[in-house]
């Protein structure tokens, strides 16, 4: 009787784990067969052996990834794949082979993994060891959260001085462009964000800092997940403050913001100050939060 209850429990658990809802929630992964090239110049023709080992390698790789409930294998990128895995193996000498493996975020059209591995030997055992290592690396890359699409709008200047507006308009525009470019570059390199091209959409709305959150709707229209606007407030020719705000593109909710204290420096220091503020208050703050969750 106890054995029957245990069997029933296992059966019910399997239904829960393998339910269609969970299958739909799993991340779709498409995987092309890896290519194989032999440039070792060995006299023996090993084509048949290599085809067999490559076939076994791909079957094991698909089996390992498919066995992880976080993922589901799909035939191609057109069949709902979030990621696509591609690669190739090259034999360069009797004992050395190289494996090039890449994982592509299909929606973002961006590489989330691009690595080159070497492994020694050309027998069943060496291929099996290589597959085990590659499968772990690929699953680690697939488990990494996809970068957030972020529309970073041009930083704006709020000039609180009594200086003539036209006297330094050209230089102000140049310094603001450097600020925006620096922040976009830093966020893109962080790996957390995919910078969405804002084009000329923002110009249609005027000053975004005064539009009551309209930047979120513009970002959503551009296909971004979030929006970021920033302001440089000139207090005097050698004093300024900085601020930025991030919103959820679909709801308009404020997700993050940062404001600096009064800073000293000429206009060319705006970029350095803005990059540091956004990095400290957005990137490093998120990293600290992630560390606490572990």
């Amino acid at each position: 009787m106890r054995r029957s209850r245990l069997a029933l429990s296992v059966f019910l658990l399997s239904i829960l784990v393998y339910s269609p809802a969970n299958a739909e929630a799993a991340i779709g992964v498409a995987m092309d067969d890896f290519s194989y090239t032999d440039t070792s110049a060995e006299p023996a023709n090993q084509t048949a052996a290599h085809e067999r080992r490559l076939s076994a390698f791909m079957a094991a790789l698909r089996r390992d990834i498919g066995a992880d409930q976080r993922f589901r294998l799909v035939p191609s990128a057109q069949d709902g794949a979030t990621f696509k895995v591609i690669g190739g193996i090259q034999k360069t000498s009797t004992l050395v082979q190289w494996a090039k493996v890449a994982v592509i975020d299909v929606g973002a059209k961006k590489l989330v993994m691009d690595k080159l591995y070497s492994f020694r030997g050309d027998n069943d055992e060496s291929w099996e060891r290589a597959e085990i290592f590659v499968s772990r690396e690929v699953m680690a890359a697939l488990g990494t959260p996809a970068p957030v699409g972020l529309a970073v709008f041009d930083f704006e200047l709020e000039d609180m001085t009594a200086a003539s507006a036209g006297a330094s308009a050209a230089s102000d525009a140049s310094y603001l462009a450097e600020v925006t470019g620096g922040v976009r570059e830093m966020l893109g390199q962080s790996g957390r964000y995919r910078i969405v091209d804002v084009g000329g959409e923002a110009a249609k709305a005027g000053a975004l800092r005064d539009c009551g959150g309209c930047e979120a709707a513009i970002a959503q229209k551009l296909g971004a997940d979030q929006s970021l606007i920033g302001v440089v407030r000139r207090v005097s020719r050698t004093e300024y403050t900085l601020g930025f705000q991030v919103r959820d593109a679909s709801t308009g909710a404020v997700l993050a913001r940062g404001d600096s204290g009064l800073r000293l420096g000429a206009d060319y220091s705006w970029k350095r100050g803005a990059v540091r503020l956004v990095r400290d208050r957005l990137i490093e703050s998120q990293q600290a939060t992630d560390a606490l969750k572990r």
Side-chain angles (χ1 to χ4, degrees):
M1 184 67 176
R2 293 176 63 184
R3 184 182 297 273
S4 299
R5 289 178 179 175
L6 177 60
L8 179 59
S9 298
V10 171
F11 173 72
L12 292 175
L13 180 60
S14 67
I15 293 175
L16 177 62
V17 172
Y18 295 101
S19 67
N22 287 344
E24 287 298 320
I27 298 170
V29 180
M31 187 183 308
D32 291 345
D33 286 338
F34 288 9
S35 62
Y36 189 83
T37 306
D38 186 349
T39 58
S40 65
E42 292 180 304
N45 186 339
Q46 302 181 70
T47 301
H50 289 153
E51 289 178 351
R52 175 178 60 80
R53 288 175 181 144
L54 180 61
S55 178
F57 180 98
M58 296 307 305
L61 187 58
R62 290 189 171 100
R63 182 180 64 246
D64 289 347
I65 293 175
D68 191 316
Q69 296 304 305
R70 296 174 298 170
F71 313 119
R72 59 185 176 89
L73 294 176
V74 297
S76 68
Q78 289 72 38
D79 297 300
T82 301
F83 295 101
K84 183 174 183 178
V85 181
I86 59 175
I89 299 174
Q90 180 180 4
K91 183 175 182 178
T92 58
S93 69
T94 301
L95 293 178
V96 178
Q97 301 197 77
W98 295 87
K100 177 77 168 179
V101 184
V103 177
I104 304 168
D105 183 320
V106 176
K109 298 180 180 179
K110 178 179 179 180
L111 287 172
V112 297
M113 171 184 160
D114 185 14
K115 293 186 177 182
L116 182 65
Y117 307 99
S118 66
F119 62 98
R120 296 181 63 82
D122 186 13
N123 54 38
D124 292 350
E125 183 180 359
S126 63
W127 278 74
E128 288 172 6
R129 288 198 305 266
E131 186 281 324
I132 291 170
F133 184 83
V134 169
S135 68
R136 289 173 181 169
E137 292 278 290
V138 169
M139 285 190 283
L142 293 173
T144 302
V148 175
L150 180 64
V152 180
F153 295 102
D154 293 344
F155 271 63
E156 300 173 355
L157 175 63
E158 187 175 351
D159 195 341
M160 303 169 68
T161 69
S164 172
S168 58
S171 61
D172 287 346
S174 176
Y175 289 130
L176 286 172
E178 290 182 2
V179 171
T180 305
V183 169
R184 284 174 178 159
E185 181 180 13
M186 182 273 296
L187 290 172
Q189 291 177 349
S190 73
R192 289 181 172 268
Y193 296 101
R194 170 177 56 86
I195 305 304
V196 176
D197 182 14
V198 299
E201 287 295 324
K204 301 175 183 178
L208 294 180
R209 66 182 185 274
D210 297 325
C211 74
C214 70
E215 73 274 9
I218 299 174
Q220 185 178 40
K221 181 180 178 181
L222 294 169
D225 303 304
Q226 298 175 9
S227 64
L228 184 149
I229 60 171
V231 181
V232 178
R233 303 180 187 88
R234 177 188 282 144
V235 180
S236 71
R237 280 298 164 184
T238 58
E239 297 176 317
Y240 65 96
T241 66
L242 297 161
F244 77 90
Q245 185 166 264
V246 176
R247 289 182 184 272
D248 183 286
S250 59
T251 67
V254 175
L255 303 176
R257 57 161 55 98
D259 285 287
S260 72
L262 188 65
R263 294 173 180 256
L264 299 177
D267 298 349
Y268 56 76
S269 67
W270 293 352
K271 174 184 174 181
R272 182 174 65 251
V275 169
R276 181 171 181 176
L277 176 67
V278 176
R279 182 180 62 240
D280 291 350
R281 302 292 178 85
L282 190 57
I283 300 299
E284 294 187 3
S285 176
Q286 290 176 342
Q287 290 174 341
T289 300
D290 291 346
L292 290 173
K293 292 179 180 178
R294 296 191 187 106

